[in-house]
Amino acid sequence: MQRAHVCAGLGIGFMLAASSTYAGQVELSVETRLGGDSNVFRQSVDKTDDGTFDISPRLGVHDDDEDVSYGFDYAPTYRNFFKTSGIDGVDHNANARTSWMISPVDKLEASGSYYNGRQFLFGTSDSGAGSTVSVNDRERIGISFANLGYRRALSPRLSIRGDGFFDDFDASGTSVNSQTDSRAYTGRISTHYALSPRAEIGLSASGRRRENRAVGPLQPNTRTNVWDVLAFVSYEITPTLSASVQVGPSFVRQQQIPGGTLFRKDETNSANVFAAASLQKEWQAGDLSFAYNRSEARSGNVASGSSINDDVQIALNHQLSDRLTLRVSGGWSRFKQISSPQESSSEFETNGYRTTGTVEFALSRRILLIGQYTYIWQETTSGISAATQSSSDVDGHAGYVGLRYTFEPLAY
């Protein structure tokens, strides 16, 4: 549990160090929701539907000074199910970030996040769930992330940056159907060069080690090493439209760690292409964003290994009037297993689709009425060949109507 709080502790520490020098704001809000869920446990068959009641306070602290800035927010959510017993509880979500302009050419940045909640939860913002869900019963997960970066400007156009990343996935279950724990350490160095006020190019190289810790004696532990070199270009097409692309080769080595009499030492190597692309459009009443990312990731299911993850996210925010705002988002995420354990030639692939629509209406300056609907559909296929493949799918609808009250900010 201690490692799960690394990122939050890092951000809080920087925040408190900075708060003694600069003034900032404390923000507090409380949100209540009344909703429903068509598939509480994310099962393919024998689905359980239920009504829900949530209460979620949020505490935020921030200061955006030019030299030292920081921010921290924490939002616990208590969810009560009307019919299903034994699964009521609190989900925790915390984020922290800070930056320090050491000199006109040196900048230090740090950020972190922590989520602890039930695996079957979706339909609320910031759940840490992404576009895929885990078909597991009554378990909790902890997701931690931390980043520490240093940037130095070598000239008005050229800069160099170094980053260290830590991410951890902790599952509480101990059954053979429980999620595999995963921990990864990443180091990256990158350079950026401004061709013009509107165009920038760059190059980055990174290395990652991921340790997958299996649950039970029938899954092997594995270790994955990843190296990649990516070229980067970004361009401001107009003052309100910008795009970026990043692409390059990657090399992945996965090792099966010996254990007992079932698993012997084994190693597989593969070459892949990693990529990322983004597009942002802004206008007076809203914005539209598109993002695509292809990289190595934890498998996302009970398999002890790594996968190639393709992820697409689209988000639209539009203010229809002074009081009414519409938010629509959609996503697709695919996990394709890199290699299978030595004693099995079966491989898996998971495709998940998710769409969310939110309407916000300001009843007053401090009270916001919110309505949200989410639909998710996911299919997992596995097998040795196309002729022996089996598949299972899961879908679910969730929605709520909520009220959010925001207190007067406190300056300090």
Side-chain angles (χ1 to χ4, degrees):
M1 181 61 70
Q2 184 176 2
R3 65 174 178 269
H5 295 83
V6 170
C7 55
L10 176 65
I12 295 172
F14 274 99
M15 182 196 73
L16 293 177
S19 65
S20 61
T21 307
Y22 301 102
Q25 275 193 339
V26 178
E27 299 172 346
L28 179 63
S29 64
V30 178
E31 185 173 324
T32 59
R33 311 181 191 112
L34 185 65
D37 194 319
S38 69
N39 191 357
V40 171
F41 294 115
R42 310 300 174 243
Q43 301 290 341
S44 300
V45 294
D46 299 327
K47 300 176 183 178
T48 300
D49 63 276
D50 207 344
T52 59
F53 172 76
D54 298 358
I55 182 167
S56 178
R58 177 188 172 273
L59 172 67
V61 182
H62 71 90
D63 183 4
D64 295 314
D65 186 86
E66 291 184 0
D67 293 330
V68 177
S69 67
Y70 58 87
F72 169 77
D73 67 82
Y74 170 58
T77 299
Y78 174 76
R79 169 164 287 191
N80 172 258
F81 289 84
F82 295 164
K83 299 183 300 181
T84 310
S85 62
I87 59 173
D88 297 345
V90 180
D91 302 300
H92 305 272
N93 197 350
N95 296 274
R97 48 89 183 169
T98 187
S99 66
W100 177 25
M101 201 70 187
I102 304 172
S103 73
V105 297
D106 297 284
K107 188 175 185 179
L108 184 66
E109 296 176 299
S111 62
S113 63
Y114 175 65
Y115 170 77
N116 183 289
R118 291 151 295 168
Q119 290 182 262
F120 49 81
L121 176 66
F122 78 83
T124 55
S125 61
D126 302 323
S127 68
S131 298
T132 59
V133 298
S134 304
V135 190
N136 283 336
D137 192 352
R138 302 172 189 263
E139 292 185 1
R140 297 184 69 88
I141 57 173
I143 302 174
S144 305
F145 174 80
N147 165 233
L148 180 63
Y150 169 74
R151 188 192 70 186
R152 181 175 178 83
L154 303 178
S155 73
R157 291 191 172 189
L158 179 64
S159 65
I160 186 170
R161 181 182 176 95
D163 284 280
F165 301 90
F166 167 82
D167 62 83
D168 185 86
F169 183 96
D170 249 338
S172 63
T174 57
S175 70
V176 294
N177 293 321
S178 296
Q179 292 280 292
T180 298
D181 291 349
S182 173
R183 185 187 296 180
Y185 308 87
T186 304
R188 183 176 67 195
I189 186 168
S190 59
T191 60
H192 291 261
Y193 182 77
L195 295 174
S196 70
R198 298 169 62 183
E200 187 177 33
I201 59 174
L203 190 68
S204 69
S206 68
R208 176 185 304 121
R209 165 167 285 195
R210 182 181 301 280
E211 298 172 351
N212 298 290
R213 308 178 296 278
V215 176
L218 301 180
Q219 291 283 350
N221 294 318
T222 62
R223 179 183 298 121
T224 304
N225 296 311
V226 184
W227 300 270
D228 62 64
V229 178
L230 305 176
F232 165 83
V233 58
S234 68
Y235 187 69
E236 186 182 281
I237 303 170
T238 70
T240 61
L241 179 64
S242 61
S244 67
V245 176
Q246 186 174 253
V247 64
S250 65
F251 305 92
V252 181
R253 181 180 69 177
Q254 182 166 296
Q255 298 172 300
Q256 181 173 282
I257 301 174
T261 59
L262 290 178
F263 305 109
R264 303 183 300 274
K265 184 177 181 180
D266 188 35
E267 180 177 313
T268 58
N269 296 273
S270 62
N272 298 274
V273 174
F274 287 174
S278 66
L279 183 69
Q280 293 89 31
K281 170 64 178 176
E282 298 178 353
W283 57 92
Q284 187 174 3
D287 59 82
L288 174 67
S289 64
F290 165 85
Y292 167 74
N293 187 69
R294 177 181 173 86
S295 63
E296 180 271 343
R298 59 176 299 274
S299 286
N301 75 343
V302 298
S304 177
S306 296
S307 301
I308 297 297
N309 176 221
D310 294 280
D311 188 80
V312 175
Q313 300 292 331
I314 301 174
L316 167 69
N317 302 300
H318 186 69
Q319 188 170 350
L320 301 174
S321 68
D322 291 342
R323 292 193 171 195
L324 187 62
T325 302
L326 173 66
R327 307 185 191 277
V328 180
S329 64
W332 165 70
S333 192
R334 178 179 67 179
F335 291 87
K336 186 174 179 61
Q337 190 174 343
I338 295 174
S339 61
S340 57
Q342 182 183 11
E343 278 66 31
S344 171
S345 55
S346 177
E347 296 185 357
F348 84 92
E349 181 177 320
T350 297
N351 284 272
Y353 301 86
R354 176 185 180 127
T355 181
T356 298
T358 306
V359 177
E360 300 175 350
F361 183 76
L363 297 175
S364 68
R365 190 168 65 94
R366 304 218 167 274
I367 302 176
L368 192 66
L369 176 65
I370 306 169
Q372 185 179 101
Y373 166 76
T374 295
Y375 173 72
I376 189 165
W377 180 83
Q378 179 175 302
E379 183 180 39
T380 299
T381 59
S382 61
I384 300 173
S385 63
T388 62
Q389 275 190 348
S390 63
S391 66
S392 63
D393 66 277
V394 58
D395 70 332
H397 304 262
Y400 69 83
V401 175
L403 280 175
R404 180 187 302 162
Y405 181 83
T406 303
F407 294 86
E408 184 75 30
L410 175 64
Y412 64 91

